[in-house]
Amino acid sequence: MSAGQDEVSAEVDCADRVVIVTGAGRGLGRAHALAFAAAGAKVVVNDLGVSRDGEADSDGPAAAVVAEIEAMGGQAVANGADVADWDQAGAMIQQAIDTFGSLDTLVCNAGFLRDRMLAGMSEEEWDSVTRVHLKGHFAPARHAITYWRDRAKAGDPVVARVVNTSSGAGLMGSIGQGNYAAAKAAIAQLTIQQAAEWGRYGVACNAVAPDARTRMTAGIFYDEDAPAGWDEKDPANVSPLMVWLGSAHCDVTGRVFESTGGQLNVCDGWQHGPVATVGDRRMTVTEAGALVHESIAAAPEPAPVFGAQ
Ligand SMILES: NC(=O)c1ccc[n+]([C@@H]2O[C@H](COP(=O)([O-])OP(=O)(O)OC[C@H]3O[C@@H](n4cnc5c(N)ncnc54)[C@H](O)[C@@H]3O)[C@@H](O)[C@H]2O)c1
């Protein structure tokens, strides 16, 4: 257990919470699962065990993380569902309930990349990446909300949390990652939608866009090896935010946060920009162009797309 995880367990008690972390066999998900376990949660460690581009892999990363949690005295169970498979996602939710008696927090994190410039992207690259991320967020959450809604309607107190994983690519755009960026943008919006619809059932829903050295980014954006001393890009640096958002202490919903190192910031999404108008009549086509420039001139500059010149 790292010093960071000690702090998590000391500050925020997640004892008696049952937490599913998807894609928790490696990288960020593994760090989140360990942090939830350190805070006392019972954890379902999901991982399909695929390669960085989603191809079949042979090892069992979920079982290894379960063993790590058990070695620290925690409780965990492995799950090998493909999170974007409707029935497997449902069975994963049921496994949490059957094994630990309930489900309190769903952390959606699993995913992979198949990067390509949009002009050359294949249908398969589009479908597989949007499927694993977007459907891989909706399918588990859809089964979880059935359980939480039924409990709420039965009069049980529900203090449930959904924590989704977006990306800077989805919030700002990223050259060569159009499939991934579109899916991650949709996950940010899905989070807002879930929060708006599920608050009535006692479910708070937020999303995090992390930035860390994992096999997804090592050797591409970051060095393969961690530096000596403070490692700003250690995935475990993002986990305290995930644990707080997944805990009963979380009192915000419908928000998206970026986090890396020792920092976080909220991200504001689409806003109604400055209105430009011709008044109570239909604009002409020429006027439409002028109004476009008038509204843009009064609006903040959009953040640059990652990788754009
Ligand atoms: N690393 C970063 O800086 C960064 C930045 C932004 C967003 N993210 C997001 O964070 C999440 C975790 O990424 P990571 O960097 O830890 O990557 P990673 O490749 O280390 O871990 C992802 C895990 O998800 C699993 N997985 C893939 N498809 C699955 C499926 N269908 N069902 C179940 N498990 C599946 C993989 O086997 C793998 O263990 C991803 O959603 C990623 O897009 C990461």
Side-chain angles (χ1 to χ4, degrees):
M1 209 185 310
S2 75
Q5 282 156 10
D6 276 336
E7 283 160 31
V8 169
S9 65
E11 287 171 39
V12 172
D13 185 4
C14 279
D16 299 328
R17 286 189 83 74
V18 178
V19 179
I20 295 175
V21 183
T22 72
R26 302 185 182 85
L28 285 149
R30 170 182 167 275
H32 303 337
L34 293 173
F36 272 105
K42 303 177 181 88
V43 184
V44 177
V45 179
N46 159 267
D47 207 292
L48 184 55
V50 294
S51 59
R52 184 178 176 276
D53 62 358
E55 297 296 340
D57 209 347
S58 58
D59 60 27
V65 174
V66 169
E68 282 189 83
I69 290 173
E70 287 175 346
M72 28 184 272
Q75 290 185 66
V77 64
N79 173 277
D82 170 0
V83 289
D85 180 288
W86 196 259
D87 293 339
Q88 291 182 37
M92 177 177 69
I93 301 301
Q94 196 58 47
Q95 184 185 359
I97 298 162
D98 291 345
T99 307
F100 295 126
S102 73
L103 174 66
D104 302 293
T105 298
L106 172 64
V107 178
C108 291
N109 163 86
F112 57 77
L113 298 175
R114 291 188 186 169
D115 291 353
R116 187 90 58 198
M117 297 296 268
L118 282 173
M121 185 168 289
S122 69
E123 181 181 8
E124 190 282 328
E125 286 163 342
W126 176 269
D127 285 348
S128 60
V129 170
T130 55
R131 175 186 180 275
V132 72
H133 289 281
L134 186 51
K135 190 174 176 190
H137 270 63
F138 180 60
R142 173 63 178 79
H143 292 288
I145 194 60
T146 301
Y147 166 69
W148 289 325
R149 186 188 56 187
D150 287 351
R151 276 186 42 201
K153 286 190 170 172
D156 284 353
V158 175
V159 186
R161 304 286 180 254
V162 175
V163 191
N164 292 329
T165 305
S166 185
S167 167
L171 303 177
M172 309 302 167
S174 179
I175 298 292
Q177 295 193 302
N179 48 359
Y180 177 70
K184 289 302 201 186
I187 287 168
Q189 184 55 48
L190 174 67
T191 305
I192 293 164
Q193 189 75 23
Q194 289 171 328
E197 295 190 8
W198 296 352
R200 75 194 69 176
Y201 306 123
V203 187
C205 308
N206 295 283
V208 173
D211 179 14
R213 182 187 307 96
T214 66
R215 69 174 183 172
M216 210 177 250
T217 55
I220 302 162
F221 297 122
Y222 306 121
D223 291 343
E224 290 277 356
D225 298 323
W230 164 237
D231 180 9
E232 187 195 2
K233 298 302 174 190
D234 184 340
N237 295 339
V238 181
S239 301
L241 173 61
M242 305 300 284
V243 171
W244 189 81
L245 291 173
S247 76
H249 301 260
C250 172
D251 55 0
V252 301
T253 192
R255 305 309 293 258
V256 180
F257 302 89
E258 293 179 293
S259 184
T260 193
Q263 67 180 49
L264 64 81
N265 58 273
V266 70
C267 259
D268 287 324
W270 293 100
Q271 302 280 348
H272 298 289
V275 173
T277 178
V278 292
D280 294 335
R281 64 171 176 81
R282 184 173 303 160
M283 65 189 75
T284 66
V285 174
T286 304
E287 285 172 334
L291 293 179
V292 162
H293 287 288
E294 185 182 329
S295 181
I296 285 176
E301 278 290 310
V305 170
F306 289 109
Q309 296 302 319

